[in-house]
PDB file of all heavy atoms in Angstrom:
ATOM      1  N   ILE A  70     -70.037  41.090  -4.427  1.00  0.00           N
ATOM      2  CA  ILE A  70     -69.635  39.788  -3.922  1.00  0.00           C
ATOM      3  C   ILE A  70     -68.926  40.086  -2.584  1.00  0.00           C
ATOM      4  O   ILE A  70     -69.044  39.313  -1.625  1.00  0.00           O
ATOM      5  CB  ILE A  70     -68.732  39.079  -4.891  1.00  0.00           C
ATOM      6  CG1 ILE A  70     -69.461  38.659  -6.186  1.00  0.00           C
ATOM      7  CG2 ILE A  70     -68.103  37.840  -4.296  1.00  0.00           C
ATOM      8  CD1 ILE A  70     -68.613  38.083  -7.238  1.00  0.00           C
ATOM      9  N   LYS A  71     -68.059  41.045  -2.548  1.00  0.00           N
ATOM     10  CA  LYS A  71     -67.222  41.289  -1.402  1.00  0.00           C
ATOM     11  C   LYS A  71     -67.960  41.469  -0.071  1.00  0.00           C
ATOM     12  O   LYS A  71     -67.535  41.006   0.992  1.00  0.00           O
ATOM     13  CB  LYS A  71     -66.361  42.551  -1.629  1.00  0.00           C
ATOM     14  CG  LYS A  71     -65.207  42.684  -0.725  1.00  0.00           C
ATOM     15  CD  LYS A  71     -64.387  43.934  -1.066  1.00  0.00           C
ATOM     16  CE  LYS A  71     -62.948  43.582  -1.427  1.00  0.00           C
ATOM     17  NZ  LYS A  71     -62.157  44.682  -1.775  1.00  0.00           N
ATOM     18  N   GLN A  72     -69.166  42.026  -0.160  1.00  0.00           N
ATOM     19  CA  GLN A  72     -69.900  42.289   1.072  1.00  0.00           C
ATOM     20  C   GLN A  72     -70.424  40.964   1.733  1.00  0.00           C
ATOM     21  O   GLN A  72     -70.612  40.855   2.913  1.00  0.00           O
ATOM     22  CB  GLN A  72     -70.994  43.275   0.839  1.00  0.00           C
ATOM     23  CG  GLN A  72     -71.981  42.861  -0.205  1.00  0.00           C
ATOM     24  CD  GLN A  72     -73.016  43.992  -0.522  1.00  0.00           C
ATOM     25  OE1 GLN A  72     -74.063  44.032   0.097  1.00  0.00           O
ATOM     26  NE2 GLN A  72     -72.642  44.804  -1.450  1.00  0.00           N
ATOM     27  N   SER A  73     -70.547  39.930   0.994  1.00  0.00           N
ATOM     28  CA  SER A  73     -70.920  38.611   1.535  1.00  0.00           C
ATOM     29  C   SER A  73     -69.824  37.578   1.449  1.00  0.00           C
ATOM     30  O   SER A  73     -70.058  36.398   1.740  1.00  0.00           O
ATOM     31  CB  SER A  73     -72.178  38.105   0.818  1.00  0.00           C
ATOM     32  OG  SER A  73     -71.947  37.907  -0.534  1.00  0.00           O
ATOM     33  N   TYR A  74     -68.620  37.942   1.075  1.00  0.00           N
ATOM     34  CA  TYR A  74     -67.496  37.117   0.848  1.00  0.00           C
ATOM     35  C   TYR A  74     -66.922  36.703   2.291  1.00  0.00           C
ATOM     36  O   TYR A  74     -66.631  37.575   3.097  1.00  0.00           O
ATOM     37  CB  TYR A  74     -66.419  37.778   0.073  1.00  0.00           C
ATOM     38  CG  TYR A  74     -65.174  36.950  -0.116  1.00  0.00           C
ATOM     39  CD1 TYR A  74     -65.109  35.916  -1.018  1.00  0.00           C
ATOM     40  CD2 TYR A  74     -64.035  37.297   0.601  1.00  0.00           C
ATOM     41  CE1 TYR A  74     -63.982  35.164  -1.200  1.00  0.00           C
ATOM     42  CE2 TYR A  74     -62.848  36.559   0.495  1.00  0.00           C
ATOM     43  CZ  TYR A  74     -62.817  35.426  -0.424  1.00  0.00           C
ATOM     44  OH  TYR A  74     -61.695  34.768  -0.646  1.00  0.00           O
ATOM     45  N   ASP A  75     -66.846  35.424   2.510  1.00  0.00           N
ATOM     46  CA  ASP A  75     -66.229  34.914   3.759  1.00  0.00           C
ATOM     47  C   ASP A  75     -64.945  34.143   3.286  1.00  0.00           C
ATOM     48  O   ASP A  75     -65.066  33.125   2.586  1.00  0.00           O
ATOM     49  CB  ASP A  75     -67.130  34.074   4.492  1.00  0.00           C
ATOM     50  CG  ASP A  75     -66.555  33.405   5.749  1.00  0.00           C
ATOM     51  OD1 ASP A  75     -65.375  33.743   6.083  1.00  0.00           O
ATOM     52  OD2 ASP A  75     -67.275  32.615   6.385  1.00  0.00           O
ATOM     53  N   ASN A  76     -63.745  34.567   3.720  1.00  0.00           N
ATOM     54  CA  ASN A  76     -62.524  33.946   3.230  1.00  0.00           C
ATOM     55  C   ASN A  76     -62.554  32.468   3.519  1.00  0.00           C
ATOM     56  O   ASN A  76     -62.046  31.739   2.661  1.00  0.00           O
ATOM     57  CB  ASN A  76     -61.381  34.680   3.921  1.00  0.00           C
ATOM     58  CG  ASN A  76     -59.998  34.373   3.184  1.00  0.00           C
ATOM     59  OD1 ASN A  76     -59.990  34.095   2.017  1.00  0.00           O
ATOM     60  ND2 ASN A  76     -58.962  34.380   3.924  1.00  0.00           N
ATOM     61  N   ARG A  77     -63.005  32.018   4.607  1.00  0.00           N
ATOM     62  CA  ARG A  77     -62.973  30.621   4.925  1.00  0.00           C
ATOM     63  C   ARG A  77     -63.873  29.840   4.051  1.00  0.00           C
ATOM     64  O   ARG A  77     -63.599  28.652   3.650  1.00  0.00           O
ATOM     65  CB  ARG A  77     -63.392  30.365   6.397  1.00  0.00           C
ATOM     66  CG  ARG A  77     -62.415  30.951   7.402  1.00  0.00           C
ATOM     67  CD  ARG A  77     -62.947  30.687   8.763  1.00  0.00           C
ATOM     68  NE  ARG A  77     -64.329  31.146   8.873  1.00  0.00           N
ATOM     69  CZ  ARG A  77     -64.791  32.143   9.638  1.00  0.00           C
ATOM     70  NH1 ARG A  77     -63.952  32.675  10.432  1.00  0.00           N
ATOM     71  NH2 ARG A  77     -66.050  32.540   9.643  1.00  0.00           N
ATOM     72  N   ASN A  78     -65.056  30.316   3.745  1.00  0.00           N
ATOM     73  CA  ASN A  78     -66.015  29.598   2.965  1.00  0.00           C
ATOM     74  C   ASN A  78     -65.907  29.744   1.427  1.00  0.00           C
ATOM     75  O   ASN A  78     -66.269  28.873   0.661  1.00  0.00           O
ATOM     76  CB  ASN A  78     -67.479  30.006   3.318  1.00  0.00           C
ATOM     77  CG  ASN A  78     -67.774  29.569   4.734  1.00  0.00           C
ATOM     78  OD1 ASN A  78     -67.246  28.534   5.228  1.00  0.00           O
ATOM     79  ND2 ASN A  78     -68.437  30.395   5.458  1.00  0.00           N
ATOM     80  N   HIS A  79     -65.471  30.886   0.924  1.00  0.00           N
ATOM     81  CA  HIS A  79     -65.483  31.271  -0.457  1.00  0.00           C
ATOM     82  C   HIS A  79     -64.172  31.301  -1.165  1.00  0.00           C
ATOM     83  O   HIS A  79     -64.103  31.314  -2.371  1.00  0.00           O
ATOM     84  CB  HIS A  79     -66.264  32.536  -0.710  1.00  0.00           C
ATOM     85  CG  HIS A  79     -67.592  32.578  -0.146  1.00  0.00           C
ATOM     86  ND1 HIS A  79     -67.985  33.391   0.867  1.00  0.00           N
ATOM     87  CD2 HIS A  79     -68.674  31.803  -0.432  1.00  0.00           C
ATOM     88  CE1 HIS A  79     -69.261  33.188   1.130  1.00  0.00           C
ATOM     89  NE2 HIS A  79     -69.727  32.227   0.384  1.00  0.00           N
ATOM     90  N   PHE A  80     -63.058  31.241  -0.363  1.00  0.00           N
ATOM     91  CA  PHE A  80     -61.720  31.465  -1.015  1.00  0.00           C
ATOM     92  C   PHE A  80     -61.452  30.403  -2.085  1.00  0.00           C
ATOM     93  O   PHE A  80     -61.028  30.678  -3.152  1.00  0.00           O
ATOM     94  CB  PHE A  80     -60.599  31.444   0.076  1.00  0.00           C
ATOM     95  CG  PHE A  80     -59.272  31.515  -0.523  1.00  0.00           C
ATOM     96  CD1 PHE A  80     -58.698  32.807  -0.894  1.00  0.00           C
ATOM     97  CD2 PHE A  80     -58.496  30.397  -0.820  1.00  0.00           C
ATOM     98  CE1 PHE A  80     -57.500  32.921  -1.409  1.00  0.00           C
ATOM     99  CE2 PHE A  80     -57.223  30.500  -1.361  1.00  0.00           C
ATOM    100  CZ  PHE A  80     -56.695  31.678  -1.608  1.00  0.00           C
ATOM    101  N   ASP A  81     -61.712  29.178  -1.724  1.00  0.00           N
ATOM    102  CA  ASP A  81     -61.401  28.092  -2.674  1.00  0.00           C
ATOM    103  C   ASP A  81     -62.189  28.220  -3.944  1.00  0.00           C
ATOM    104  O   ASP A  81     -61.653  28.007  -5.048  1.00  0.00           O
ATOM    105  CB  ASP A  81     -61.692  26.683  -2.025  1.00  0.00           C
ATOM    106  CG  ASP A  81     -60.740  26.307  -0.925  1.00  0.00           C
ATOM    107  OD1 ASP A  81     -59.574  26.823  -0.924  1.00  0.00           O
ATOM    108  OD2 ASP A  81     -61.051  25.512  -0.039  1.00  0.00           O
ATOM    109  N   MET A  82     -63.413  28.627  -3.878  1.00  0.00           N
ATOM    110  CA  MET A  82     -64.275  28.702  -5.073  1.00  0.00           C
ATOM    111  C   MET A  82     -63.779  29.866  -5.964  1.00  0.00           C
ATOM    112  O   MET A  82     -63.555  29.763  -7.164  1.00  0.00           O
ATOM    113  CB  MET A  82     -65.738  28.981  -4.702  1.00  0.00           C
ATOM    114  CG  MET A  82     -66.648  29.203  -5.899  1.00  0.00           C
ATOM    115  SD  MET A  82     -68.335  29.433  -5.479  1.00  0.00           S
ATOM    116  CE  MET A  82     -68.270  30.822  -4.327  1.00  0.00           C
ATOM    117  N   VAL A  83     -63.507  31.029  -5.390  1.00  0.00           N
ATOM    118  CA  VAL A  83     -63.055  32.189  -6.056  1.00  0.00           C
ATOM    119  C   VAL A  83     -61.629  31.922  -6.633  1.00  0.00           C
ATOM    120  O   VAL A  83     -61.373  32.243  -7.816  1.00  0.00           O
ATOM    121  CB  VAL A  83     -63.138  33.405  -5.306  1.00  0.00           C
ATOM    122  CG1 VAL A  83     -62.495  34.613  -6.048  1.00  0.00           C
ATOM    123  CG2 VAL A  83     -64.505  33.792  -4.880  1.00  0.00           C
TER     124      VAL A  83
END
Side-chain angles (χ1 to χ4, degrees):
I70 295 173
K71 195 179 241 181
Q72 57 189 269
S73 61
Y74 177 78
D75 177 3
N76 196 27
R77 292 178 310 240
N78 295 325
H79 302 117
F80 177 83
D81 289 337
M82 177 178 54
V83 174

